[in-house]
Amino acid sequence: MVEPLSNRSRRRESEGSQDGPSLEFEYNDADRLPAELAELYSYTEETDLCLNRRCFEEKFKLEVSGARWTSLGSAQRRTHVMCLLDGLEVVSREHRLEVARAILYLAQGVFGECDNDLDVLHWSRYNCFLLYQMGTFAVFLELLNMEIANSQACSSALRKPALSLADSTELRVILSVMYLLVENMRQESPGDDAERNTQRETFRTELAFPSNGEEPFAHLLFTMVTKFCSGHSPHFPMKKVLLLLWKVLLFTLGGFSELQRMKEKKRAELGLPPLPEDSIQVTKNMRATAPPTYGMEQGEQQKRGRRSRRDSMDLYNEKDPFKSEETIGTEEEENEDSDNMVDTESEAHERELMSQPMAGLRIHTERVSFPKGLPWTPKVRDKDIESFLEMSRNKFIGFTLGHDTDTLVGLPRPIHESVKILKQHKYVSTADIQIKKEEELERCPMSLGEEEVEETATECLYRAMLFNIPQYMIALLKILLAAAPTSKTKTDSINILADVLPEEMPITVLQSMKLGIDVNRHKEIIVKSVSALLLLLLKHLKLNHIYQFEYVSQHLVFANCIPLILKFFNQNIMSYICAKNSISILDFPSCVVHELPELTAESLESGDSNQFCWRNLFSCINLLRILNKLTKWKHSRTMMLVVFKSSPILKRALKVKHAMMQLYVLRLLKLQTKYLGRQWRKSNMKTMSAIYQMVRHRMNDDWAYGNDIDARPWDFQGEECTLRGNIECFNSRRYEKNPNWEFAPVDNCLQSVVGQRLELPEDFHYTYELWLEREVFSKPIQWEELLQYS
């Protein structure tokens, strides 16, 4: 199939746009509220919006004739909401759906009575607080449980050869109401009074700490994800489930700013100094690295002669020494258009520079601005100080003192100064304290007693998820794989498009284009929600307890998360970030407030006027942060980056001119530099310079030379096994209340043992004689063996 000329030219423009300005993207917990509300609905759900309005107006006219919702008093609104909630208690499934649609119309902001988008957002927020106050969320939670347990709907979906929007109608209405309640109430507004703030905190507590021994709401949504991926419930609208799950985690656990406050609080409780900086705030003030200029290299080019076309490319298209001949041929075929384009541009750039006088080159070099200082405070671990002193003692004294970092007898004065500097920048994390405490609890379980565990929202969720975490991680990664643009559709892959495909497939070309944009947008939103909720879960678990984080991380690694993320980035990442898979006039609430103009193929193809797609850049940064968390200080996982040849993939991602994204790419490159060999470092010196400029420095870390003793390949397998053993000990000690625990007290007194009252079944006295005959009289007694223990 021949690619359209406009698409090809747009793709080439995006590939060659690295010389342009940095992307004006501000990383945050989520996008703006209008964008987050618009992404809840597919473009194929447009007809449902009008149906919701009609269901509400029919019910409303019966109760209040000749009035509008926006003109009613508070008491009248409460009365009508109560009437609607009473309508959900009926047996008829169709009647319940109509009432649920009417409530959804209220949560959507009674757009039929509004003149602009701001009015819709205002009334949506007002109505959501009112609905929650009247107990709507609890009612819809019961409806959701009913739909999850609806075996008839599951069996009907399993029999169908192709699923569509109609198979998930009830679930989509229920999940939409719950999403609107969570999304509107979790966000604070300057105009909120004390009552609204109280309602917000009460709602957060209900979601995180359910009463009567019930599970947290997020855990229920996790079970929906696993049921969908296992094939038992293929009709579940997975995009809405994942969006709701992400927002529930964001609401109950807290976003990035709240996470920073929790870190500060926890460090203060443990007696640790405050954090040197907020990483997100530091990256916001960083500048993206620009491609190198060719002016400095001009003289060398004239001496050496013309270099090859491949060598004249920018610093991020350097040769990869790990690439075999087969992969080189394949990659060149895939990127033929982009390579030709870049080569042509670089030749033109070189010809232009050749015609410039040398004075112009001197002026160009004088304009180069260097940063005043490094953006990060250096950090040193205890292990770094120990290894430095071990090496120094072996050199000057001839023996070591183990873990002693205070005794400096016999060492020369410069070593004293070095140790002093290292200790000035020593950083102790909360994870270090937690690991030491866990070692003490394992070593002295009797004397230290039982651990006091703070009941946080993260702790409550982890305890509920614990025994199903492997299934949850596998399910999320399956969905991420199915939604990735680089994955090809297979017969055994899960169908994530059931809640976007209409009952009747499009007939015209315009309808096909609209559905194609809708499907791509649907996949992008799924990637966004999965990446965001995984990152949020990992960060909160790491703060709550390091072994909870390591348990989830190990199962992500076991489920091939590392190659999956690399597969995701093995594409034209600039095209993905600049994708135009949205139709602004069809986004909610514009599509119901304003009169829609006639759609044409040109208007669909042009997309919006934004420089980039917010959700796609957000997803890329989230996935890079997840990859950093999985591989940091884990040499076996770093070797996976090397084995899967991630360096050329990551270097291509550096084309995106955004400081935060480049920072996390450079961190991943820094991790594996010592394993890539001298030739790679020699041919990638500009990438190495970018790492020095942007990434935090660890004193005594010779990442650029490959001399680290931790780079021994024979330790990798043992490292993961040791970590797994520590995790299992932690989980069994804290969460498995096993009566056969080896330190449980034993009662050896015959009188007290025989005198214990046992709980017997009610019908035991009817079968007592039969039990005596079977268990006592018919079994021979081994008197010799019994006497040995007397």
Side-chain angles (χ1 to χ4, degrees):
M1 181 177 178
V2 180
E3 188 178 5
L5 184 61
S6 58
N7 290 348
R8 190 184 305 169
S9 61
R10 190 190 310 151
R11 180 166 62 85
R12 288 182 173 181
E13 286 174 8
S14 64
E15 287 174 350
S17 63
Q18 60 180 352
D19 291 330
S22 299
L23 301 179
E24 297 296 327
F25 170 81
E26 186 172 350
Y27 186 74
N28 214 330
D29 294 322
D31 204 350
R32 297 174 298 104
L33 179 62
E36 294 294 339
L37 296 183
E39 288 180 355
L40 177 64
Y41 313 103
S42 302
Y43 297 145
T44 48
E45 292 180 279
E46 188 180 341
T47 54
D48 289 352
L49 299 172
C50 299
L51 186 56
N52 298 340
R53 177 181 176 181
R54 189 170 73 246
C55 290
F56 172 81
E57 290 177 348
E58 288 175 359
K59 307 288 180 188
F60 191 63
K61 286 177 183 177
L62 296 176
E63 299 291 332
V64 186
S65 58
R68 294 164 54 124
W69 173 265
T70 53
S71 62
L72 291 182
S74 178
Q76 290 176 299
R77 290 181 187 136
R78 290 168 183 268
T79 304
H80 186 64
V81 171
M82 284 300 298
C83 293
L84 289 175
L85 293 177
D86 289 340
L88 293 174
E89 303 293 331
V90 298
V91 178
S92 172
R93 187 179 178 86
E94 291 77 12
H95 183 73
R96 282 204 311 268
L97 178 59
E98 290 178 1
V99 175
R101 284 189 179 280
I103 294 175
L104 175 57
Y105 176 71
L106 281 178
Q108 288 171 337
V110 287
F111 48 79
E113 302 177 17
C114 298
D115 298 326
N116 52 57
D117 296 3
L118 292 177
D119 285 347
V120 176
L121 297 176
H122 166 75
W123 282 107
S124 176
R125 196 163 192 270
Y126 174 88
N127 292 340
C128 283
F129 274 96
L130 176 63
L131 289 171
Y132 171 73
Q133 196 175 357
M134 304 302 293
T136 305
F137 191 86
V139 175
F140 272 78
L141 182 57
E142 292 181 8
L143 292 176
L144 180 62
N145 282 312
M146 286 172 55
E147 288 299 325
I148 292 172
N150 188 353
S151 58
Q152 184 179 355
C154 295
S155 58
S156 173
L158 289 169
R159 287 195 301 268
K160 287 188 176 181
L163 298 175
S164 66
L165 276 170
D167 298 295
S168 59
T169 303
E170 289 84 358
L171 276 169
R172 283 187 293 109
V173 171
I174 294 168
L175 291 168
S176 296
V177 171
M178 300 175 100
Y179 178 87
L180 289 169
L181 285 172
V182 171
E183 181 63 9
N184 276 300
M185 292 187 66
R186 78 170 182 87
Q187 300 197 27
E188 298 180 10
S189 176
D192 288 348
D193 53 12
E195 184 182 359
R196 281 194 173 183
N197 292 331
T198 305
Q199 288 178 7
R200 180 182 299 108
E201 291 305 315
T202 306
F203 191 24
R204 185 202 301 258
T205 305
E206 286 178 4
L207 293 174
F209 307 102
S211 56
N212 303 324
E214 296 177 354
E215 59 189 4
F217 182 56
H219 185 237
L220 176 64
L221 297 174
F222 270 116
T223 58
M224 290 186 70
V225 174
T226 51
K227 282 188 175 183
F228 172 80
C229 289
S230 63
H232 298 306
S233 303
H235 66 294
F236 282 179
M238 207 29 55
K239 185 189 82 171
K240 286 183 168 55
V241 173
L242 292 168
L243 280 173
L244 180 56
L245 176 56
W246 167 37
K247 293 305 171 65
V248 168
L249 291 179
L250 194 57
F251 187 28
T252 56
L253 305 185
F256 297 131
S257 57
E258 192 168 347
L259 192 66
Q260 188 71 12
R261 290 194 296 270
M262 292 164 67
K263 281 183 185 177
E264 296 283 2
K265 181 183 175 183
K266 190 143 196 170
R267 290 183 67 84
E269 290 173 354
L270 295 173
L272 298 173
L275 290 168
E277 66 263 313
D278 183 353
S279 58
I280 293 180
Q281 294 302 321
V282 172
T283 52
K284 284 181 180 178
N285 297 325
M286 292 173 67
R287 294 176 59 188
T289 58
T293 56
Y294 294 89
M296 298 293 290
E297 301 167 1
Q298 188 65 39
E300 295 177 10
Q301 285 182 1
Q302 289 176 350
K303 290 178 183 178
R304 291 197 304 260
R306 186 173 184 83
R307 294 185 301 180
S308 65
R309 295 177 67 193
R310 182 62 74 168
D311 290 337
S312 67
M313 293 171 67
D314 58 33
L315 77 113
Y316 303 129
N317 288 323
E318 295 148 348
K319 290 182 179 178
D320 178 28
F322 293 91
K323 200 180 296 179
S324 62
E325 294 180 2
E326 293 82 7
T327 56
I328 289 174
T330 308
E331 190 174 50
E332 285 180 352
E333 288 176 5
E334 292 176 352
N335 300 325
E336 186 177 355
D337 289 342
S338 61
D339 287 346
N340 291 340
M341 181 272 303
V342 176
D343 289 342
T344 306
E345 286 187 356
S346 61
E347 285 178 356
H349 198 163
E350 288 180 6
R351 283 196 300 270
E352 184 182 347
L353 287 172
M354 290 287 285
S355 62
Q356 291 178 350
M358 293 304 292
L361 291 177
R362 282 196 296 271
I363 294 172
H364 188 70
T365 56
E366 289 173 359
R367 291 176 184 171
V368 177
S369 60
F370 296 96
K372 294 182 180 179
L374 296 173
W376 303 100
T377 305
K379 286 183 179 179
V380 179
R381 297 182 298 166
D382 259 336
K383 187 178 179 182
D384 300 330
I385 302 175
E386 288 175 11
S387 59
F388 174 73
L389 282 173
E390 182 181 0
M391 181 185 66
S392 301
R393 286 168 182 152
N394 278 327
K395 180 178 180 180
F396 294 105
I397 304 175
F399 62 89
T400 61
L401 298 177
H403 298 291
D404 186 356
T405 58
D406 297 321
T407 305
L408 302 177
V409 177
L411 297 176
R413 189 68 186 170
I415 301 296
H416 288 237
E417 295 295 327
S418 299
V419 173
K420 181 182 176 182
I421 296 296
L422 289 174
K423 287 186 175 180
Q424 281 180 359
H425 294 91
K426 180 181 173 183
Y427 176 77
V428 180
S429 65
T430 56
D432 297 332
I433 304 293
Q434 290 167 349
I435 290 172
K436 286 181 181 178
K437 186 178 179 182
E438 197 62 30
E439 290 173 354
E440 292 173 0
L441 286 168
E442 286 292 327
R443 191 169 57 249
C444 311
M446 299 294 290
S447 58
L448 293 177
E450 194 169 345
E451 180 188 13
E452 292 184 6
V453 181
E454 184 183 358
E455 188 69 4
T456 61
T458 310
E459 181 68 30
C460 186
L461 179 61
Y462 181 79
R463 190 168 56 244
M465 292 172 57
L466 177 59
F467 299 108
N468 295 311
I469 280 176
Q471 289 83 1
Y472 296 155
M473 296 305 110
I474 291 170
L476 288 173
L477 293 183
K478 273 186 177 180
I479 293 171
L480 185 61
L481 175 62
T486 51
S487 63
K488 298 176 181 177
T489 306
K490 298 179 182 177
T491 54
D492 58 343
S493 62
I494 54 176
N495 179 18
I496 58 171
L497 304 178
D499 54 330
V500 70
L501 297 176
E503 290 185 82
E504 298 180 0
M505 294 307 289
I507 302 173
T508 64
V509 175
L510 189 65
Q511 291 174 342
S512 299
M513 289 180 65
K514 179 183 171 184
L515 182 59
I517 292 172
D518 204 6
V519 166
N520 291 335
R521 175 178 177 265
H522 182 82
K523 290 182 176 181
E524 290 172 1
I525 295 169
I526 287 178
V527 172
K528 170 188 173 182
S529 55
V530 172
S531 64
L533 74 90
L534 276 176
L535 177 63
L536 207 61
L537 192 64
L538 287 173
K539 289 187 75 67
H540 278 280
L541 288 175
K542 188 173 184 181
L543 180 62
N544 197 59
H545 199 286
I546 184 63
Y547 283 141
Q548 294 175 350
F549 162 79
E550 295 291 3
Y551 186 54
V552 174
S553 297
Q554 269 204 342
H555 283 290
L556 283 172
V557 174
F558 294 159
N560 287 331
C561 182
I562 292 176
L564 171 56
I565 295 177
L566 293 176
K567 178 183 174 68
F568 180 89
F569 280 96
N570 193 19
Q571 59 170 312
N572 187 343
I573 205 68
M574 278 302 297
S575 293
Y576 182 72
I577 286 172
C578 299
K580 306 290 186 182
N581 290 317
S582 58
I583 309 169
S584 56
I585 57 176
L586 295 182
D587 285 339
F588 180 87
S590 298
C591 61
V592 287
V593 175
H594 307 292
E595 187 174 348
L596 291 179
E598 184 179 357
L599 291 175
T600 61
E602 289 76 16
S603 63
L604 290 180
E605 191 177 17
S606 63
D608 54 28
S609 58
N610 292 331
Q611 183 187 11
F612 56 89
C613 179
W614 196 97
R615 62 173 168 266
N616 289 354
L617 186 48
F618 178 72
S619 302
C620 290
I621 294 176
N622 287 339
L623 291 173
L624 287 169
R625 295 184 75 185
I626 291 169
L627 199 54
N628 270 277
K629 289 201 166 297
L630 295 181
T631 53
K632 188 178 180 182
W633 305 121
K634 302 290 188 304
H635 302 291
S636 57
R637 299 174 192 176
T638 305
M639 282 303 295
M640 292 180 71
L641 295 177
V642 180
V643 169
F644 289 117
K645 299 179 181 178
S646 64
S647 57
I649 296 172
L650 293 171
K651 283 194 298 177
R652 281 199 297 272
L654 284 171
K655 290 181 180 181
V656 181
K657 289 200 67 177
H658 186 262
M660 180 176 280
M661 183 163 172
Q662 288 181 344
L663 170 68
Y664 290 112
V665 171
L666 292 170
R667 279 185 182 179
L668 291 167
L669 288 170
K670 178 184 175 182
L671 286 176
Q672 53 184 315
T673 303
K674 67 181 72 170
Y675 306 107
L676 294 178
R678 185 166 176 262
Q679 183 57 41
W680 186 91
R681 296 193 292 271
K682 186 177 177 181
S683 57
N684 289 272
M685 286 308 296
K686 292 191 173 74
T687 304
M688 303 280 284
S689 299
I691 294 173
Y692 270 111
Q693 182 181 346
M694 296 186 70
V695 182
R696 186 193 303 277
H697 290 271
R698 296 271 179 176
M699 293 188 178
N700 286 9
D701 180 13
D702 57 348
W703 59 272
Y705 303 100
N707 299 324
D708 196 343
I709 59 171
D710 288 330
R712 297 174 297 193
W714 54 85
D715 289 342
F716 295 158
Q717 196 67 31
E719 181 187 66
E720 287 289 340
C721 291
T722 304
L723 178 61
R724 189 170 187 178
N726 293 336
I727 294 168
E728 288 176 353
C729 289
F730 164 77
N731 284 333
S732 62
R733 180 190 60 78
R734 186 184 276 196
Y735 301 107
E736 292 182 11
K737 304 301 180 184
N738 189 357
N740 298 323
W741 185 46
E742 57 180 326
F743 294 108
V746 178
D747 190 355
N748 293 317
C749 180
L750 180 63
Q751 187 175 359
S752 63
V753 171
V754 174
Q756 288 180 358
R757 294 185 62 85
L758 298 176
E759 292 290 335
L760 298 172
E762 295 179 1
D763 59 343
F764 182 73
H765 64 280
Y766 296 117
T767 58
Y768 177 63
E769 293 181 356
L770 182 62
W771 178 82
L772 276 175
E773 182 66 34
R774 187 180 69 245
E775 299 293 335
V776 180
F777 301 138
S778 63
K779 288 192 175 182
I781 299 173
Q782 303 291 337
W783 292 103
E784 294 82 0
E785 189 175 342
L786 185 63
L787 289 171
Q788 289 179 0
Y789 297 100
S790 60

